[in-house]
Amino acid sequence: MPGFRGSRGRGRGRGTARGRGGSRGGRGGRGGRKPSFHTNRIAQDPQEYVTPAMNKDSDASQTTDDASEPEEDAIDGDVSSESDRTAAVAIPAFSALMQSLAAERKNDAPRKKRKLEEDIMHKSRMEASVDEETKSPYGSNEELPDSDINGPAEVSEPEASENEADVEDLLDAADPFDVHFANPDDNVLAKRLKAVSSNGWIVRRSSGPAGKATIYLAPEATEPLSHTPNEILSTHHLNLKSKLVEPAAKLKPDFNPLERAVASYIFNYQDLMVCNRTLESARSFRTLYSLHALNHIFKTRDRVIKNNERLSKADGGEDLELRDQGFTRPKVLMLLPTKHSCVQAVETISALCGTEQQENRKRFDDDYVQTEEKFSSDKAEDFRELFQGNDDDMFRLGLKFTRKTMKLYTHFYSADIIFASPLGLRMAVGDENDKKQDYDFLSSIELVVVDQADALLMQNWEHVEYIFEHLNLQPREPHGCDFGRVRSWYLDGQARHLRQTLILSAFNTPELNSLFGHQMHNLSGKVKITLDYAGAMLDLGLSTKQTFSRYESPDLTKDPDARFEYFSAAIVPSLAKFVRSTSGPAGAGILIFVPSYLDFVRIRNYFSTSAAAHNISFGAISEYSSVPDVARARSHFFSGRHSVLLYTERAHHFRRYLIRGVKRVVLYGMPDNPIFYREIVGGYLGASVKEGRLGPDEGVARSMFSRWDGLKLERIVGTKRVGTLLKRTGGDTFDFV
């Protein structure tokens, strides 16, 4: 690991806010002092500067607070250059004062001198911690404004004293925070680690209000509380920080059956993947994970404050080993699909934490909040939930807590919580070949929340995988870390086995299963919650012949080729025959739904060049089609000029076009989201029936599938039927009417 550098000096730079001052001064500088460990862990925040324009963005309340009552970020050890100079001149002035007092009051001089000396030296120790020089990894990022990443300047705040901080006893055997993070049993930890490394999980299954739960426990793990879900009836049954009890009870007086079923998993630090997130349960899950994140942050923060106080009062000969920290400050990472989802999470956290002031809230509202109605009433509810408000999927935001303030737009190395979209965070980290690549701020993440994972699948799942691969790695720079305070399992490289991961999705996919199997190794266990499905094909609202055709695909890597061969050999000839038999201006009205863009390009090229499809006129709509191209394709398809329309799953996800003139539907692959099947098969064919372009019993839908499509097929045909379609011999075509 690179060597430590001297404490960074402080100065007052001028010009625009860049997260690092334009000039440096004061004492310290590069190599200015002998390298030393700090008692305050994250004393690495780069000094940031604010222009008058940025000050105008700050709320009036925060300006008043900063000017009249500066507070301490309880974990940061930042002090201004003025406090350094004050500490430098305090001892000579004190000596002169003590000499004069000694001459006048010889009788009680020793007692008063000891008391004043202790006060002054305590103050000196608390003020003498100076930041280790650190480098911002985001200064050259051009995708977002520099201020969005580095944040505004932060006012130094005095250390919160013991009677000011909300600090409980150091260890509580009944507190999951202490059992899992602060004081885990080394013997149990070693046994579980050995079992998890060899995939030696103990698997149990149960059912409840949340759905079917598959529970993976490491040997020596305790029985999860979810086997008695009624035990956690409300927030009063949780081990919360005292400052969170009242706001939590006000926001969530009682738990509903779903919340009772999952609360024990969440608050006992077990990994959880929920595959049945709905519009109704979204708020409940958001409240639970926000409360859990705040509870974890405040307990970590107060533990460090308490230990700082113990170190400041310790005698020189007393050897205290207080391991209460990670390598860097950020502890919670929330991956969210849009800025609007970030607004919802921030508002929930704001309602729970009860802070008196929120710095940069006006700037946050200007950047993230949109209140105007964007969609017509015919859009589906799940579409409106995902894309309402600001639907920008390129963002990242640091959030930091002090004793009375919640600070938005905080530099990542100073933040407690990082909110980000996968794209925004991937660009902040950089690529492997990027010299400025920096992922050290992810080294001490202890709680990861991936909300609306089904929406992230429609963006670019590779970004999510890339982020998880860079979580809890050993940092490449010290960033002012006091390694004497770092927890042992961090130093041993086992942080990923203590990290808790919460994934919330509307349905399960192979990508989520891969993440569950390869990135979720929590020693306290992990839980996957799924549902039994009746089948989307039963909820179309009309009588339609639905055919499911199975093709052989022994190898997953060759499945795309096997699918295309079956399509060109078995599906295209029947389509060409139907087009030739169709007469009249209405056209054939064949919609081909294609989940993958790569398959879409392959089919489009095939229709353009193959002799087998020379008589088939077609249009195409993908997620990359321009608005004029989409309008032209829809118009030609409705008028009958085009017999076939190619349509991708992502185009439907992002736009939800209402396509008219559909008479037949061919699903080249089934959609992940069962709602899409109802909208495309039931909605499009139903619209043609209502318009009189199609008879009530004339609609036809044909779906292709292989053994690798089991999860998709289950949601469409139902849990009871999926086994028959996948395994039955003697036939590969299944008709349902």
Side-chain angles (χ1 to χ4, degrees):
M1 182 168 292
F4 293 96
R5 288 178 286 193
S7 302
R8 174 163 61 86
R10 299 185 179 271
R12 300 184 179 273
R14 300 187 179 185
T16 59
R18 296 179 55 81
R20 296 175 64 95
S23 61
R24 294 175 181 168
R27 61 187 180 91
R30 293 185 181 268
R33 294 199 317 175
K34 182 179 180 181
S36 61
F37 294 119
H38 302 302
T39 56
N40 290 342
R41 170 171 58 86
I42 306 179
Q44 73 251 22
D45 302 15
Q47 183 70 18
E48 296 164 337
Y49 300 88
V50 170
T51 62
M54 293 177 66
N55 279 329
K56 292 179 181 178
D57 288 340
S58 301
D59 295 339
S61 62
Q62 80 186 52
T63 305
T64 303
D65 179 65
D66 289 340
S68 61
E69 190 182 4
E71 303 164 5
E72 203 250 357
D73 166 10
I75 303 180
D76 277 343
D78 287 352
V79 292
S80 65
S81 57
E82 288 187 79
S83 63
D84 286 339
R85 290 192 296 270
T86 302
V89 301
I91 294 178
F94 166 71
S95 299
L97 175 62
M98 292 304 299
Q99 290 176 3
S100 63
L101 290 176
E104 296 176 3
R105 303 182 179 181
K106 294 182 180 180
N107 294 334
D108 56 353
R111 177 176 57 83
K112 290 189 175 181
K113 180 176 181 179
R114 263 196 317 273
K115 182 177 184 304
L116 289 175
E117 225 169 11
E118 289 173 357
D119 291 342
I120 292 296
M121 295 308 296
H122 171 64
K123 180 179 179 181
S124 174
R125 283 194 298 267
M126 301 304 291
E127 292 180 341
S129 176
V130 183
D131 287 352
E132 188 77 14
E133 181 161 315
T134 185
K135 178 179 68 174
S136 168
Y138 316 116
S140 62
N141 191 308
E142 298 177 358
E143 297 298 326
L144 292 178
D146 186 66
S147 58
D148 283 344
I149 303 170
N150 293 332
E154 299 173 4
V155 179
S156 299
E157 301 173 357
E159 178 92 29
S161 63
E162 183 178 357
N163 60 347
E164 290 176 331
D166 178 21
V167 182
E168 283 83 11
D169 293 336
L170 283 182
L171 294 177
D172 182 357
D175 189 350
F177 174 81
D178 287 313
V179 174
H180 186 80
F181 279 107
N183 191 38
D185 186 281
D186 292 337
N187 294 328
V188 174
L189 202 65
K191 292 180 181 179
R192 293 185 186 180
L193 181 61
K194 182 178 179 180
V196 170
S197 301
S198 60
N199 202 27
W201 297 101
I202 300 174
V203 182
R204 298 174 182 174
R205 291 176 172 83
S206 65
S207 298
K212 297 187 302 182
T214 304
I215 305 167
Y216 297 79
L217 295 175
E220 306 296 330
T222 57
E223 191 76 11
L225 296 177
S226 295
H227 287 298
T228 55
N230 293 329
E231 186 173 351
I232 300 182
L233 304 178
S234 69
T235 56
H236 295 292
H237 293 81
L238 299 172
N239 201 322
L240 299 177
K241 292 293 295 181
S242 58
K243 65 173 66 176
L244 293 174
V245 172
E246 183 177 350
K250 183 178 180 180
L251 188 63
K252 181 64 64 176
D254 297 298
F255 285 164
N256 59 38
L258 172 65
E259 293 164 342
R260 295 175 190 175
V262 301
S264 59
Y265 298 128
I266 295 175
F267 288 92
N268 281 282
Y269 288 96
Q270 292 176 302
D271 286 350
L272 177 64
M273 186 170 81
V274 176
C275 302
N276 59 349
R277 179 189 182 275
T278 63
L279 300 179
E280 294 76 19
S281 64
R283 182 185 295 272
S284 295
F285 284 123
R286 185 163 52 248
T287 301
L288 288 179
Y289 70 65
S290 298
L291 178 61
H292 180 49
L294 284 174
N295 193 46
H296 181 76
I297 290 170
F298 290 163
K299 286 186 176 182
T300 301
R301 172 182 183 269
D302 289 346
R303 181 65 50 82
V304 174
I305 294 175
K306 182 69 175 180
N307 288 340
N308 287 347
E309 193 73 17
R310 292 179 64 189
L311 288 172
S312 67
K313 294 179 178 179
D315 296 333
E318 186 177 0
D319 185 15
L320 291 178
E321 184 177 2
L322 303 175
R323 297 193 175 275
D324 53 9
Q325 304 168 12
F327 296 114
T328 55
R329 175 166 181 162
K331 288 291 173 284
V332 178
L333 172 64
M334 294 190 183
L335 294 178
L336 305 168
T338 64
K339 283 187 173 181
H340 179 72
S341 60
C342 180
V343 170
Q344 292 176 315
V346 170
E347 288 179 345
T348 303
I349 288 174
S350 175
L352 287 170
C353 69
T355 52
E356 297 180 3
Q357 294 127 11
Q358 298 182 23
E359 292 191 11
N360 300 308
R361 184 56 193 253
K362 182 179 183 300
R363 176 184 171 191
F364 174 77
D365 291 341
D366 292 341
D367 291 346
Y368 282 71
V369 177
Q370 290 183 4
T371 57
E372 64 274 10
E373 185 66 31
K374 300 188 297 182
F375 308 114
S376 58
S377 58
D378 61 344
K379 295 295 185 182
E381 290 185 4
D382 66 304
F383 178 85
R384 298 168 69 88
E385 185 220 15
L386 177 59
F387 294 108
Q388 66 179 325
N390 192 335
D391 59 3
D392 187 3
D393 63 355
M394 172 62 178
F395 68 93
R396 49 187 178 259
L397 178 73
L399 177 63
K400 168 183 175 179
F401 292 97
T402 64
R403 187 159 49 90
K404 292 184 179 180
T405 306
M406 185 178 80
K407 299 182 179 182
L408 296 158
Y409 293 94
T410 304
H411 185 277
F412 280 177
Y413 284 97
S414 306
D416 295 305
I417 304 178
I418 296 175
F419 303 92
S421 64
L423 175 61
L425 194 58
R426 171 69 183 271
M427 297 191 68
V429 171
D431 294 325
E432 299 294 344
N433 298 326
D434 189 353
K435 294 181 179 179
K436 297 183 179 180
Q437 184 190 33
D438 190 342
Y439 47 79
D440 287 354
F441 59 87
L442 300 175
S443 63
S444 301
I445 295 294
E446 296 174 350
L447 171 61
V448 178
V449 178
V450 183
D451 200 357
Q452 295 177 275
D454 51 301
L456 301 183
L457 286 164
M458 290 289 115
Q459 295 178 0
N460 191 334
W461 189 251
E462 290 183 0
H463 295 332
V464 178
E465 294 174 337
Y466 184 85
I467 291 168
F468 269 88
E469 290 170 358
H470 289 80
L471 286 174
N472 302 121
L473 300 180
Q474 296 286 333
R476 298 183 294 184
E477 299 288 341
H479 301 286
C481 175
D482 180 356
F483 289 92
R485 300 279 294 273
V486 176
R487 292 188 171 107
S488 300
W489 43 267
Y490 270 115
L491 299 175
D492 294 338
Q494 304 300 340
R496 68 189 186 103
H497 293 291
L498 278 296
R499 183 191 73 224
Q500 183 185 26
T501 303
L502 306 177
I503 299 178
L504 307 175
S505 175
F507 45 80
N508 194 10
T509 68
E511 293 85 354
L512 292 179
N513 276 337
S514 176
L515 198 67
F516 185 82
H518 294 95
Q519 298 293 345
M520 297 169 70
H521 302 288
N522 193 332
L523 298 182
S524 292
K526 57 183 181 179
V527 182
K528 181 194 300 182
I529 297 179
T530 58
L531 282 179
D532 284 336
Y533 295 92
M537 69 177 188
L538 303 179
D539 191 24
L540 299 183
L542 75 160
S543 178
T544 300
K545 181 182 178 181
Q546 302 175 67
T547 301
F548 296 87
S549 300
R550 186 182 67 202
Y551 63 91
E552 295 301 322
S553 176
D555 189 349
L556 177 60
T557 60
K558 297 180 180 179
D559 185 68
D561 294 333
R563 187 183 300 269
F564 180 75
E565 290 175 4
Y566 182 85
F567 175 77
S568 58
I571 305 296
V572 173
S574 63
L575 296 182
K577 182 179 179 180
F578 181 75
V579 170
R580 288 194 299 267
S581 64
T582 303
S583 60
I590 302 172
L591 178 75
I592 301 179
F593 176 83
V594 188
S596 167
Y597 181 76
L598 296 178
D599 289 334
F600 167 83
V601 173
R602 191 174 191 176
I603 297 172
R604 185 184 62 187
N605 295 341
Y606 176 80
F607 276 111
S608 300
T609 59
S610 175
H614 72 280
N615 67 322
I616 301 178
S617 59
F618 73 96
I621 298 176
S622 74
E623 57 268 36
Y624 301 109
S625 299
S626 64
V627 174
D629 289 342
V630 171
R632 187 182 306 109
R634 294 174 65 184
S635 175
H636 289 347
F637 181 73
F638 179 69
S639 66
R641 183 173 177 179
H642 288 164
S643 300
V644 172
L645 178 64
L646 305 180
Y647 187 44
T648 66
E649 183 174 13
R650 277 188 169 85
H652 189 73
H653 170 78
F654 288 109
R655 301 301 178 189
R656 302 291 176 95
Y657 293 118
L658 179 58
I659 298 176
R660 301 171 61 191
V662 178
K663 297 180 180 179
R664 290 190 171 219
V665 177
V666 176
L667 290 95
Y668 187 81
M670 287 173 292
D672 278 316
N673 193 339
I675 295 176
F676 293 178
Y677 186 86
R678 289 195 293 265
E679 292 175 343
I680 292 170
V681 177
Y684 291 172
L685 293 178
S688 297
V689 171
K690 290 181 181 179
E691 294 175 352
R693 302 170 67 90
L694 187 68
D697 300 326
E698 294 178 356
V700 175
R702 185 170 183 177
S703 304
M704 298 167 48
F705 73 95
S706 72
R707 58 182 295 194
W708 310 109
D709 296 323
L711 293 175
K712 298 178 181 180
L713 188 64
E714 179 187 11
R715 292 188 283 270
I716 293 175
V717 303
T719 303
K720 294 181 179 180
R721 304 178 188 87
V722 64
T724 302
L725 271 66
L726 290 173
K727 299 177 181 179
R728 196 178 77 175
T729 60
D732 58 5
T733 301
F734 308 87
D735 294 328
F736 298 90
V737 179

